[in-house]
Protein backbone atom coordinates (compact mmCIF):
# COMPACT_ATOMS: atom_id res chain seq x y z
CA UNK A 1 0.00 0.00 0.00
CA UNK A 2 1.26 3.47 -0.90
CA UNK A 3 1.70 5.90 1.98
CA UNK A 4 -1.68 7.39 2.95
CA UNK A 5 -3.38 5.59 0.04
CA UNK A 6 -7.16 5.76 -0.12
CA UNK A 7 -8.82 2.73 -1.71
CA UNK A 8 -11.89 3.44 -3.83
CA UNK A 9 -14.84 1.38 -2.64
CA UNK A 10 -17.52 2.84 -4.92
CA UNK A 11 -17.71 5.47 -7.67
CA UNK A 12 -20.83 7.39 -8.65
CA UNK A 13 -20.72 9.32 -11.92
CA UNK A 14 -22.52 12.64 -11.47
CA UNK A 15 -21.84 14.50 -14.74
CA UNK A 16 -20.06 13.93 -18.05
CA UNK A 17 -19.44 17.07 -20.08
CA UNK A 18 -17.45 18.24 -23.08
CA UNK A 19 -14.36 19.11 -21.02
CA UNK A 20 -14.75 17.51 -17.58
CA UNK A 21 -16.64 14.85 -15.71
CA UNK A 22 -17.56 14.80 -12.03
CA UNK A 23 -17.68 11.74 -9.82
CA UNK A 24 -18.10 11.03 -6.13
CA UNK A 25 -15.93 8.24 -4.73
CA UNK A 26 -16.47 6.42 -1.46
CA UNK A 27 -12.98 5.67 -0.14
CA UNK A 28 -11.45 3.56 2.57
CA UNK A 29 -8.93 5.62 4.54
CA UNK A 30 -5.58 4.35 5.90
CA UNK A 31 -7.04 4.19 9.42
CA UNK A 32 -9.94 1.99 8.26
CA UNK A 33 -12.60 4.72 8.27
CA UNK A 34 -14.45 5.76 5.11
CA UNK A 35 -15.03 9.13 3.47
CA UNK A 36 -16.28 10.71 0.26
CA UNK A 37 -14.19 12.43 -2.41
CA UNK A 38 -15.68 14.72 -5.07
CA UNK A 39 -13.42 14.44 -8.11
CA UNK A 40 -13.17 16.26 -11.41
CA UNK A 41 -11.73 14.17 -14.25
CA UNK A 42 -9.97 16.15 -16.99
CA UNK A 43 -8.14 14.91 -20.12
CA UNK A 44 -5.10 17.10 -19.43
CA UNK A 45 -3.79 20.21 -21.10
CA UNK A 46 -0.72 21.92 -22.50
CA UNK A 47 0.63 25.40 -21.94
CA UNK A 48 3.27 27.18 -23.97
CA UNK A 49 5.93 29.70 -22.96
CA UNK A 50 6.31 31.41 -26.34
CA UNK A 51 9.10 33.95 -26.86
CA UNK A 52 9.24 36.06 -30.02
CA UNK A 53 12.48 36.78 -31.92
CA UNK A 54 12.20 40.31 -30.46
CA UNK A 55 12.41 38.88 -26.94
CA UNK A 56 8.76 39.35 -25.99
CA UNK A 57 6.62 36.73 -24.27
CA UNK A 58 3.34 35.85 -25.97
CA UNK A 59 0.10 35.93 -23.97
CA UNK A 60 -3.59 35.83 -24.74
CA UNK A 61 -6.29 37.72 -22.92
CA UNK A 62 -9.65 36.03 -22.67
CA UNK A 63 -12.78 36.02 -20.57
CA UNK A 64 -12.94 33.27 -17.97
CA UNK A 65 -16.51 32.62 -16.87
CA UNK A 66 -15.44 30.86 -13.64
CA UNK A 67 -13.74 34.09 -12.55
CA UNK A 68 -16.32 36.42 -14.20
CA UNK A 69 -13.53 38.50 -15.78
CA UNK A 70 -10.83 38.61 -18.41
CA UNK A 71 -7.35 37.39 -17.56
CA UNK A 72 -4.01 37.33 -19.35
CA UNK A 73 -2.52 33.84 -19.76
CA UNK A 74 0.11 31.98 -21.68
CA UNK A 75 -1.35 30.07 -24.66
CA UNK A 76 -2.86 26.78 -23.55
CA UNK A 77 -5.42 24.18 -24.46
CA UNK A 78 -6.98 20.83 -23.72
CA UNK A 79 -5.57 17.53 -24.95
CA UNK A 80 -7.79 15.74 -27.44
CA UNK A 81 -8.26 11.96 -26.93
CA UNK A 82 -5.10 10.12 -28.02
CA UNK A 83 -3.30 13.33 -28.97
CA UNK A 84 0.40 13.69 -28.14
CA UNK A 85 0.94 16.70 -25.84
CA UNK A 86 3.64 18.13 -28.12
CA UNK A 87 1.24 18.09 -31.08
CA UNK A 88 -1.42 19.74 -28.90
CA UNK A 89 1.09 22.44 -27.96
CA UNK A 90 1.92 23.18 -31.61
CA UNK A 91 -1.77 23.29 -32.52
CA UNK A 92 -2.80 25.50 -29.59
CA UNK A 93 0.11 27.89 -30.17
CA UNK A 94 -0.99 28.44 -33.76
CA UNK A 95 -4.74 28.57 -33.04
CA UNK A 96 -4.44 31.07 -30.21
CA UNK A 97 -1.53 33.23 -31.38
CA UNK A 98 -0.98 32.73 -35.09
CA UNK A 99 2.62 31.66 -34.39
CA UNK A 100 4.32 28.40 -35.34
CA UNK A 101 7.67 26.98 -34.28
CA UNK A 102 10.03 24.16 -35.08
CA UNK A 103 11.67 24.60 -31.67
CA UNK A 104 9.38 23.17 -28.99
CA UNK A 105 11.09 22.07 -25.79
CA UNK A 106 9.37 20.15 -22.98
CA UNK A 107 9.79 21.95 -19.63
CA UNK A 108 7.73 19.99 -17.08
CA UNK A 109 4.31 18.63 -16.18
CA UNK A 110 2.35 19.53 -13.07
CA UNK A 111 -0.98 19.03 -11.36
CA UNK A 112 -3.25 22.06 -11.22
CA UNK A 113 -5.60 21.22 -8.33
CA UNK A 114 -4.72 17.84 -6.78
CA UNK A 115 -7.24 18.19 -3.98
CA UNK A 116 -10.17 17.61 -6.34
CA UNK A 117 -9.02 17.32 -9.98
CA UNK A 118 -6.72 15.01 -11.94
CA UNK A 119 -5.78 17.62 -14.58
CA UNK A 120 -2.11 17.57 -15.58
CA UNK A 121 -0.64 20.47 -17.58
CA UNK A 122 2.36 19.79 -19.83
CA UNK A 123 4.47 22.95 -20.18
CA UNK A 124 6.54 23.66 -23.28
CA UNK A 125 8.97 26.38 -24.33
CA UNK A 126 8.62 27.69 -27.88
CA UNK A 127 11.36 29.80 -29.45
CA UNK A 128 12.13 30.68 -33.06
CA UNK A 129 8.52 31.73 -33.57
CA UNK A 130 7.24 32.52 -37.05
CA UNK A 131 3.88 33.90 -38.08
CA UNK A 132 1.81 31.11 -39.65
CA UNK A 133 1.05 31.56 -43.34
CA UNK A 134 -2.48 30.18 -42.96
CA UNK A 135 -3.39 30.44 -39.28
CA UNK A 136 -5.43 27.55 -37.87
CA UNK A 137 -8.90 28.55 -36.77
CA UNK A 138 -9.49 28.55 -33.03
CA UNK A 139 -12.52 27.18 -31.22
CA UNK A 140 -15.84 28.77 -32.24
CA UNK A 141 -16.58 29.79 -28.65
CA UNK A 142 -13.11 31.18 -27.87
CA UNK A 143 -12.36 34.88 -28.17
CA UNK A 144 -8.78 35.92 -27.45
CA UNK A 145 -6.59 38.97 -27.87
CA UNK A 146 -2.87 38.55 -28.49
CA UNK A 147 -0.48 40.39 -26.14
CA UNK A 148 3.29 40.46 -26.52
CA UNK A 149 5.11 41.74 -23.45
CA UNK A 150 8.56 42.11 -21.94
CA UNK A 151 9.30 40.35 -18.68
CA UNK A 152 8.86 43.64 -16.83
CA UNK A 153 5.48 44.27 -18.48
CA UNK A 154 4.37 40.72 -17.65
CA UNK A 155 5.42 41.13 -14.02
CA UNK A 156 3.40 44.36 -13.90
CA UNK A 157 0.35 42.51 -15.26
CA UNK A 158 0.88 39.96 -12.51
CA UNK A 159 1.02 42.70 -9.84
CA UNK A 160 -2.18 44.18 -11.30
CA UNK A 161 -3.77 40.71 -11.10
CA UNK A 162 -4.40 40.68 -14.85
CA UNK A 163 -2.23 37.55 -14.79
CA UNK A 164 -4.04 35.45 -12.22
CA UNK A 165 -3.61 31.76 -13.01
CA UNK A 166 -1.01 29.33 -11.72
CA UNK A 167 0.32 28.09 -15.08
CA UNK A 168 1.16 31.63 -16.20
CA UNK A 169 2.68 32.55 -12.83
CA UNK A 170 4.76 29.34 -13.02
CA UNK A 171 5.83 30.23 -16.55
CA UNK A 172 6.93 33.73 -15.53
CA UNK A 173 8.95 32.34 -12.63
CA UNK A 174 10.58 29.79 -14.96
CA UNK A 175 11.45 32.46 -17.54
CA UNK A 176 12.97 34.67 -14.86
CA UNK A 177 14.95 31.90 -13.11
CA UNK A 178 16.28 30.53 -16.41
CA UNK A 179 17.22 34.00 -17.69
CA UNK A 180 15.24 33.46 -20.91
CA UNK A 181 14.33 37.14 -21.24
CA UNK A 182 16.29 40.19 -20.19
Amino acid sequence: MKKFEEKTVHTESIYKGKVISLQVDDVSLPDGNTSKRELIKHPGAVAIIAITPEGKMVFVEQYRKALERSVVEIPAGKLEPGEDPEETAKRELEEETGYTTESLEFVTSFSTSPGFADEIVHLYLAKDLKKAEDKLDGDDDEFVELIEASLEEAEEMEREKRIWDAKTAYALLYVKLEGLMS
Side-chain angles (χ1 to χ4, degrees):
M1 181 175 207
K2 298 174 194 161
K3 190 173 184 178
F4 308 126
E5 184 175 10
E6 299 177 355
K7 296 280 188 184
T8 302
V9 177
H10 178 261
T11 298
E12 180 183 356
S13 179
I14 304 297
Y15 173 79
K16 287 190 186 279
K18 182 175 139 185
V19 177
I20 63 159
S21 62
L22 172 64
Q23 68 188 47
V24 177
D25 284 4
D26 293 323
V27 297
S28 174
L29 302 173
D31 67 1
N33 289 317
T34 60
S35 192
K36 291 195 179 291
R37 300 290 185 244
E38 298 169 351
L39 305 172
I40 293 175
K41 303 304 243 176
H42 187 282
V46 299
I48 306 100
I49 300 168
I51 301 174
T52 69
E54 297 77 30
K56 301 274 186 156
M57 197 165 164
V58 179
F59 300 91
V60 292
E61 184 170 7
Q62 61 186 319
Y63 189 82
R64 293 300 196 178
K65 183 64 178 161
L67 300 176
E68 295 289 353
R69 69 184 184 100
S70 292
V71 292
V72 175
E73 304 174 49
I74 58 174
K78 178 177 70 73
L79 289 169
E80 297 299 331
E83 189 174 35
D84 178 69
E86 186 171 322
E87 291 306 309
T88 306
K90 288 178 182 177
R91 176 177 48 77
E92 288 293 338
L93 178 66
E94 187 173 341
E95 284 179 6
E96 291 194 356
T97 71
Y99 281 110
T100 62
T101 186
E102 296 299 319
S103 173
L104 199 59
E105 177 186 324
F106 176 75
V107 175
T108 192
S109 298
F110 55 89
S111 171
T112 59
S113 300
F116 61 87
D118 69 350
E119 179 186 27
I120 301 296
V121 173
H122 307 281
L123 184 63
Y124 290 87
L125 174 64
K127 295 182 182 177
D128 302 323
L129 299 180
K130 297 178 197 139
K131 280 291 186 183
E133 291 180 22
D134 294 312
K135 180 181 174 272
L136 292 174
D137 290 332
D139 297 334
D140 290 338
D141 62 351
E142 189 172 56
F143 301 90
V144 300
E145 180 179 314
L146 186 67
I147 296 173
E148 295 179 8
S150 67
L151 181 57
E152 294 77 23
E153 291 166 331
E155 290 175 325
E156 180 61 24
M157 287 188 283
E158 194 171 27
R159 282 189 292 278
E160 295 169 347
K161 296 189 177 17
R162 290 180 62 206
I163 291 177
W164 186 246
D165 68 300
K167 72 180 177 308
T168 304
Y170 186 106
L172 286 175
L173 182 60
Y174 179 81
V175 165
K176 191 171 184 175
L177 290 174
E178 293 294 319
L180 298 175
M181 296 172 60
S182 46

